[in-house]
Each structure stands twice: as structure tokens, then as C-alpha cells.
Amino acid sequence: EYQWKGPFYFIQGADPQFGLMKAWTHGDTNNGDDEWGEEIKLAEQAVQAVNKLDPKPKFFVLCGDLVHGMPGSRWKKNQEQDLKDVLKNTAQDIPLVFVSGNHDIGNTPTRETIDDYCKNWGDDYFSFWVGGVFFLVLNSQLYFDSSECPESRQAQDAWLDEQLAVAANQKCKHVIVFQHIPLFLSKPDEDHDYFNLDKSVRQEIMEKFHKAGVRAVFSGHYHRNAGGSYKGLEMVVSSAIGCQLGQDTHGLRVVVVTEEKVVHRYYSLTELGSHGIEKELLDLLAQQ
């Protein structure tokens, strides 16, 4: 779909992270993830809310930390199977897009953990077109710590440069990026910590995105809503479907793409499920 066909929207979710709620409550985030009934209910609620939407979203993207279990941990396979069982109920005409998070491939990923993820969920980085808009999915863990697989980082970097060149040649309406770890949480020059990327890497990526005309980067990882902007590039951090670490509700983000702009709003699962999308956003979709 290289051609602009008019406004559309998609749904962004993040961090269903089966197992974190119990682990967090018990203060044992390494081994306390042996129950995830609560997350199953929330993920089911998310799928039901998305299925009810009319008109239908173009796709539903999950921005990483699909489950809590780290590679090789005891419950990971069961958590993944349970998540797949829930996601199978997503309406057939709503494609699912998966983004790898640190819990999916490890804080320090290896070739093996990435391969395992790819077998389960699809490529760890790729691009796709929807209605004249170019979407890029990145493996942000390679920017966080690629010490165990430097060649994977180099391969993604080379690929990304090619893709951004393609975007420039194709004169796409917008370029939108999905990754798990935010570039930054509120300010482009904030200090580096667990929830954002290292300053030097961040600066390089932000500049690259800015030059290529990337409109927005959507991520999760923080389990709270946050965001800011850098030279017209918007950084959107969405809270979790699963465990909340701040004051936000379990929710999903509705993102409307018009010819001029990208407009988004975070909804609680309850609100989206019972009321759907508000009139203001639906009106944007109706404009031709």
C-alpha cells in the first residue's frame, strides 16, 4: 500500500507482560512470575475492545514485553502459549504486529535469544506500508546492549539506513517507528536510566530520524504514559496493558493518521471496550 488512500487508524498496546503483576506485588521480579491469571483477563479485555471497534483498525501493534519470563526462565514458554491463546481471538481482519522487548530477548540479547523470539513471534525488525505510510519496527535492545551480538546491531543499523533511504525516495506521507524502549521519556537530553536509551546512542538515532522525516516513535517499557518531542519528532510512551507502575489505567492507544498529522489518545481498556473511539477522532477519519 504505497499510495495514500485517506485517513486511517491503528491500535498500539504495550507490555501485556504475563507474570509481572504477581512478581511486582511480591517484590520478586526474578522468580515471582508463576501466576498470570490477572494479565490473561486484561489481555482478553484488550482483544475484545479492539474487536468491537467500528470502523476496524488497520492493525494492532504490541510494543514488547509480551511476557515477563526472561529467555530460559521457568515459566516463559507457558506464558507465551497463554498469550498466543488470547491473541488468537483477535478478529481475522486485524493484523497483529509484534515488537521485541527486553523480557522477550533478554536485557543483553544473544543470537540465540533473538532467533528464538523470531521463531515465536516473527522478525525482530522489519518494515511495512499501510495506505502510503511507512512503518518501521526496531529491536531497541540492540541499542541498549548489543555486547553479546554486535553483528546483529550492525545489521539492523545498515538495514535501517536503507529503509530510511527508501522512505525518502517513495515520498511516503509519514514515517512511523515502533520500538520497545523509548528514546527518552520527556526530554531529549534527560539522563540515561533503565527506561530510556543511552544519551550518545539516543542523540544519533534522534538525529537520523529527524533527517529522514520520521513523524513519531511509539514505545512501551515504562508502564506509564509519557513522551515529548525532538525537532518535530514526537516520542510517545504508552502505558501497559498489564502491570501499572504509575497512576495510569490498563489501556491501549488509538492512533489516527491523517494526511497532515498523527493524532493519538490513550484509553483505558474499560473505556475503549464500552464507549469505543470518541467523536473527535472519528471525525478525523471521516475527512477525505
Side-chain angles (χ1 to χ4, degrees):
E1 292 193 358
Y2 295 118
Q3 304 307 314
W4 176 252
K5 303 222 175 58
F8 64 88
Y9 81 103
F10 62 87
I11 300 292
Q12 183 220 5
D15 303 271
Q17 207 158 343
F18 283 22
L20 175 59
M21 287 171 91
K22 182 182 176 208
W24 188 255
T25 315
H26 286 247
D28 179 5
T29 50
N30 292 330
N31 308 300
D33 60 333
D34 57 344
E35 286 173 25
W36 49 91
E38 205 53 43
E39 284 97 337
I40 289 177
K41 284 193 202 115
L42 290 162
E44 285 172 344
Q45 200 183 344
V47 167
Q48 284 157 7
V50 170
N51 285 347
K52 275 163 77 174
L53 294 170
D54 182 32
K56 290 249 185 279
K58 283 285 190 178
F59 60 89
F60 177 15
V61 58
L62 282 170
C63 281
D65 282 3
L66 305 171
V67 302
H68 183 67
M70 285 283 188
S73 66
R74 185 170 174 196
W75 305 106
K76 189 176 183 68
K77 289 276 171 266
N78 303 56
Q79 290 167 354
E80 288 182 329
Q81 191 51 56
D82 284 353
L83 178 59
K84 286 178 181 179
D85 289 343
V86 172
L87 293 174
K88 275 177 195 156
N89 298 315
T90 309
Q92 292 296 305
D93 50 358
I94 303 174
L96 287 164
V97 176
F98 297 106
V99 181
S100 62
N102 57 308
H103 283 263
D104 305 311
I105 58 175
N107 285 323
T108 305
T110 64
R111 196 57 258 168
E112 291 68 39
T113 63
I114 294 172
D115 287 346
D116 190 54
Y117 169 86
C118 292
K119 280 192 202 93
N120 258 306
W121 303 102
D123 291 340
D124 60 323
Y125 58 89
F126 57 97
S127 62
F128 61 98
W129 287 85
V130 174
V133 177
F134 193 43
F135 292 93
L136 294 166
V137 170
L138 294 180
N139 178 345
S140 56
Q141 223 46 46
L142 296 174
Y143 295 125
F144 193 81
D145 181 1
S146 62
S147 56
E148 296 285 319
C149 54
E151 67 297 333
S152 300
R153 162 81 190 265
Q154 286 153 6
Q156 176 170 267
D157 281 345
W159 172 86
L160 178 58
D161 289 342
E162 280 166 23
Q163 297 296 309
L164 292 173
V166 166
N169 290 337
Q170 292 277 1
K171 301 198 172 21
C172 50
K173 277 289 170 215
H174 305 291
V175 185
I176 293 174
V177 172
F178 299 118
Q179 59 187 56
H180 177 63
I181 302 181
L183 296 167
F184 57 89
L185 297 173
S186 57
K187 295 190 183 69
D189 59 352
E190 70 198 16
D191 288 340
H192 165 58
D193 67 20
Y194 174 77
F195 287 113
N196 59 21
L197 290 179
D198 185 83
K199 271 174 139 170
S200 59
V201 178
R202 179 196 314 168
Q203 188 57 41
E204 192 186 319
I205 299 171
M206 289 190 310
E207 210 32 53
K208 188 181 279 192
F209 284 175
H210 163 65
K211 287 197 174 111
V214 175
R215 179 56 66 102
V217 177
F218 288 88
S219 70
H221 189 52
Y222 192 42
H223 295 255
R224 284 157 283 220
N225 288 309
S229 65
Y230 171 82
K231 296 185 182 175
L233 163 72
E234 191 182 4
M235 180 67 242
V236 184
V237 185
S238 292
S239 197
I241 292 169
C243 189
Q244 299 299 315
L245 301 184
Q247 302 308 307
D248 295 296
T249 52
H250 306 281
L252 293 167
R253 194 172 291 278
V254 172
V255 186
V256 176
V257 183
T258 73
E259 200 157 1
E260 269 75 53
K261 52 194 182 193
V262 176
V263 182
H264 51 86
R265 186 175 159 217
Y266 187 82
Y267 289 82
S268 75
L269 296 179
T270 314
E271 187 186 6
L272 193 62
S274 52
H275 303 298
I277 301 172
E278 73 208 276
K279 185 177 182 306
E280 196 184 330
L281 293 183
L282 289 173
D283 287 349
L284 287 174
L285 288 172
Q287 291 168 9
Q288 282 305 331

